[in-house]
Amino acid sequence: MRAKSIGLQLSAQLRDTFETAIVFLYPAKCRVCEEFLGVASMPYICANCWRDMQFLEPPWCDICGTPGVDGLCDACAVSPPRYGKLRSIAFYHTTLQQAIHLFKFEKKKVFVHHLIQLINAHIPSDCSIETYDFVLPIPIHKKRLRERGFNQATLLANGIAKVEGVPVLTDVLVRKRHTVAQSSLDSTARQQNIVGAFEVRNPDIISGKRLLVIDDVFTTGATIREAVSELWTADPAEIDVLTLARTLDPEKS
């Protein structure tokens, strides 16, 4: 057993030495600022860029979370959305935009742990996870799940809910129709694209319950609105939304 333990230690040391040599011979650059990454840096993005993350801070709209608004924004005052409130952690800009791109589209799952830590450290005070009965990630269609290998919203939801021991439901709100990627469409097309994409199964599970819906990025809100509308068919007590990121300008995202 001792020989095996020594062998494992040597293997780990050799691996670390090899990785250090690779970084030295072929130094990687930060995907945000293009400065060289140090050996101790986390992959792909340097520590300085991580520190430049632009977090959302109040005031924001009481309902939709639009920043810079004290009370209700004009849109919510005229036609409030069907969720109770929507909150986001940081702006979908520079560092966070690159991190989500690497995680979601380049399948760099190493980022999930850092993104979960970021969310848990900056959850708004009026969005306490422990007050909800269930956490529900926005689902992706099974075809996209096969292509990507994971649902980014589910990974984030699991990490957020685990801290407070709140159950995560992945089989109640489902994506029944495959759609074109929302990121490739303008705001009008996004709304049309997502209509009828969701379905609630086993509605009794969430009837009368407080629900927190999780997604990675809030852009125009089309996906969230459609999902929330479908969830109301099960007659829950409340539906709130939490996203990792929020775009600066939905029309340009």
Side-chain angles (χ1 to χ4, degrees), residues 42-210:
M42 69 171 287
Y44 306 105
I45 298 177
C46 71
N48 287 334
C49 286
W50 274 107
R51 284 192 289 267
D52 285 340
M53 194 86 67
Q54 298 181 34
F55 294 101
L56 276 88
E57 297 180 356
W60 46 52
C61 174
D62 292 341
I63 298 178
C64 74
T66 296
V69 175
D70 190 4
L72 295 182
C73 69
D74 292 342
C76 287
V78 174
S79 180
R82 300 191 69 189
Y83 48 76
K85 59 178 175 285
L86 183 147
R87 298 292 180 260
S88 301
I89 302 301
F91 284 110
Y92 187 62
H93 183 58
T94 57
T95 298
L96 187 54
Q97 183 175 11
Q98 187 61 247
I100 291 175
H101 183 93
L102 286 161
F103 168 43
K104 186 175 177 178
F105 299 112
E106 297 190 31
K107 304 179 182 180
K108 309 297 186 185
K109 291 177 69 175
V110 66
F111 277 99
V112 69
H113 305 293
H114 301 284
L115 296 175
I116 289 170
Q117 288 177 352
L118 185 149
I119 295 171
N120 286 331
H122 295 89
I123 290 176
S125 59
D126 64 347
C127 191
S128 300
I129 306 301
E130 71 274 9
T131 64
Y132 297 97
D133 296 300
F134 297 110
V135 171
L136 291 83
I138 290 291
I140 60 177
H141 192 267
K142 58 185 179 182
K143 179 180 179 181
R144 184 153 292 134
L145 183 61
R146 286 194 299 268
E147 294 170 350
R148 187 174 297 161
F150 61 89
N151 177 3
Q152 69 282 351
T154 297
L155 296 181
L156 294 175
N158 287 337
I160 296 166
K162 183 179 180 180
V163 175
E164 302 296 342
V166 180
V168 177
L169 299 180
T170 59
D171 55 358
V172 172
L173 180 67
V174 299
R175 196 81 161 241
K176 67 177 182 179
R177 183 170 64 81
H178 183 60
T179 58
V180 175
Q182 291 284 82
S183 58
S184 65
L185 305 172
D186 61 26
S187 58
T188 300
R190 285 174 188 244
Q191 188 61 56
Q192 296 171 346
N193 181 55
I194 203 68
V195 171
F198 299 106
E199 179 182 15
V200 170
R201 297 176 181 172
N202 301 312
D204 290 347
I205 295 175
I206 60 174
S207 178
K209 303 299 184 181
R210 298 191 71 225

